[in-house]
Amino acid sequence: MMLRRHFSALPALMAAPGAKETLQAEVFRVQLKHTWTTTMSSSAYRDVLYAKFTREGLTGWGEGAPIVRYNETAAQGVATLQTMRAFFAEANPRQYAKVLGEFFKKVPGQYAMKAAVDIALFDWLGQRLNIPVHQIFGLDAADAPLTTFSIGIDTPAVTRAKVKEAAPYPVLKIKVGLATDEATIEAVRAETKKPLRVDANEGWKTKEEAVRKINWLESQGVELIEQPLPAAILEEMNWIRKRIHIPVIADEACLHPEDIPKLAPYFDGVNVKVDKCGGLLEAHRMIQIAKSLGLKTMLGCMVSSSVAITAAAQLSPLVDYADLDGNLLISNDPVSGVQVVQGKLTLPKRAGLGLVKASAR
Ligand code: MG
């Protein structure tokens, strides 16, 4: 299995269980099984940030995947956390909301790094309380939804091969937004009749192009469309929505809680990502705000390992749609956590995030 082949690439933090530091961080390079192409970039690997919070003999793990679009890097996050060691040495993780509030005030931006810290605190607290993180939020793991499996932009032949590989997943999310959209969808439809969700990643440039493409996608059995136009364009969304029949979900336009009331008149739903907003506490707040405004909710992710995906999955019982497959796209996942069973997210019953080293499987 590919996992085993890359097993030597364990994060250094994982190999140092005796470390005394309260908060440690490191960059970890996740390797993609397929070169990952969207409208934004094409890459064979991504650098994520791991955080490790140790207290009272327990260690909580967190991960954030910095987003190039927002000028964040993992190295920058690690450097910033070096300057915050004294703060976290004094912090009381049982008061996580207070700690995270003060931390967010001290450090501008760097939301993926903040997500890693938030997740590490929740993993620690869940272990300390001996309950899974979703129970800290009062959720029932049985309510977790299906997750989509994402197919990045590629040639029709490779797209068909990827769709075959995705056989275990009942709903696919197809990346479009380049000149090849029709060819991509036709390649997918040559292989499967599964429901499709489509993400344009801001790739279409005019409202007319968006309507033409979405109407065609509807005829191909697509059930929702994500971020058809650039994030800054809002007013034209309603012109589009009058001419189509499927929900339109904001992703790149929706980063933080305060964005949601501004987006509500123009979209049917929002894609909340832990890496965009800075952790589970903020993501939970965003989901509640979106629901209060009558919006559909999606939990999305970046390419990352099972630390970040298992963390996001802890909130998935709250949402309408889950797109939590970033760990399924990589070949060197150092841990195992949430599983996908017949398409459904299946949370570990273990305390905290419930992660185990991949070698323990
Ligand atoms: Mg998206």
Side-chain angles (χ1 to χ4, degrees):
M1 207 175 145
M2 276 180 125
L3 254 174
R4 297 284 188 273
R5 214 171 63 221
H6 293 274
F7 181 58
S8 60
L10 268 183
L13 291 182
M14 201 174 272
K20 291 193 181 107
E21 289 281 354
T22 299
L23 185 77
Q24 293 175 282
E26 73 168 287
V27 178
F28 184 69
R29 179 161 290 181
V30 296
Q31 304 289 341
L32 282 145
K33 291 177 185 169
H34 293 283
T35 297
W36 178 246
T37 302
T38 72
T39 57
M40 280 180 264
S41 63
S42 189
S43 51
Y45 63 84
R46 293 285 177 87
D47 285 342
V48 301
L49 182 153
Y50 278 142
K52 175 178 161 180
F53 180 82
T54 303
R55 182 73 59 86
E56 299 169 24
L58 296 172
T59 294
W61 281 88
E63 177 182 8
I67 303 175
V68 176
R69 189 184 192 284
Y70 309 121
N71 301 311
E72 295 186 18
T73 68
Q76 169 201 36
V78 170
T80 301
L81 282 178
Q82 304 291 345
T83 70
M84 297 297 293
R85 280 178 169 170
F87 173 80
F88 284 103
E90 296 296 318
N92 180 351
R94 292 169 180 78
Q95 297 168 355
Y96 61 84
K98 175 178 175 174
V99 170
L100 291 168
E102 289 177 358
F103 176 46
F104 275 48
K105 275 195 196 131
K106 285 176 188 292
V107 179
Q110 300 192 62
Y111 289 96
M113 175 271 276
K114 288 171 176 164
V117 171
D118 160 293
I119 293 166
L121 291 180
F122 276 105
D123 185 30
W124 184 91
L125 185 60
Q127 291 180 58
R128 192 68 188 81
L129 299 173
N130 199 27
I131 57 173
V133 169
H134 62 267
Q135 288 184 10
I136 299 176
F137 289 96
L139 302 176
D140 182 351
D143 296 336
L146 295 173
T147 181
T148 43
F149 182 85
S150 299
I151 309 281
I153 297 173
D154 224 310
T155 63
V158 175
T159 298
R160 288 181 71 155
K162 287 179 175 176
V163 171
K164 275 189 189 141
E165 278 178 45
Y169 306 100
V171 188
L172 302 180
K173 174 156 154 179
I174 313 297
K175 296 285 193 179
V176 299
L178 299 180
T180 53
D181 296 348
E182 281 88 353
T184 297
I185 298 297
E186 280 163 5
V188 174
R189 278 292 174 239
E191 292 294 333
T192 182
K193 293 188 166 68
K194 287 174 186 174
L196 305 179
R197 298 171 189 166
V198 166
D199 189 353
N201 285 116
E202 314 179 272
W204 300 327
K205 297 306 169 206
T206 67
K207 61 184 192 291
E208 291 83 5
E209 179 185 14
V211 166
R212 191 173 67 247
K213 293 240 167 119
I214 296 169
N215 278 320
W216 183 78
L217 290 168
E218 282 187 29
S219 76
Q220 299 298 306
V222 168
E223 58 180 34
L224 64 78
I225 180 77
E226 214 175 297
Q227 199 68 53
L229 293 181
I233 297 176
L234 285 184
E235 283 73 15
E236 294 180 352
M237 292 311 306
N238 283 337
W239 188 92
I240 293 172
R241 285 164 79 215
K242 281 191 194 115
R243 290 163 176 80
I244 63 172
H245 310 93
I246 55 176
V248 185
I249 309 292
D251 181 357
E252 283 82 356
C254 180
L255 277 66
H256 301 292
E258 64 269 25
D259 296 328
I260 299 177
K262 293 177 220 159
L263 295 170
Y266 304 106
F267 287 88
D268 300 292
V270 290
N271 183 344
V272 173
K273 288 180 184 160
V274 172
D275 310 88
K276 284 190 299 190
C277 66
L280 297 178
L281 192 60
E282 285 290 278
H284 185 267
R285 182 178 295 157
M286 290 180 76
I287 293 165
Q288 300 300 349
I289 292 171
K291 283 170 175 279
S292 75
L293 293 168
L295 294 168
K296 300 252 184 220
T297 52
M298 176 185 289
L299 261 170
C301 67
M302 305 303 294
V303 170
S304 49
S305 78
S306 284
V307 181
I309 302 303
T310 303
Q314 302 285 339
L315 294 180
S316 70
L318 284 170
V319 299
D320 299 300
Y321 310 111
D323 178 33
L324 296 178
D325 64 344
N327 57 333
L328 305 173
L329 306 175
I330 69 168
S331 60
N332 62 334
D333 199 340
V335 296
S336 172
V338 66
Q339 303 293 313
V340 182
V341 180
Q342 293 175 330
K344 187 176 154 71
L345 292 166
T346 306
L347 290 164
K349 292 186 169 63
R350 295 178 291 272
L353 294 178
L355 302 171
V356 292
K357 284 187 190 179
S359 59
R361 289 205 291 185

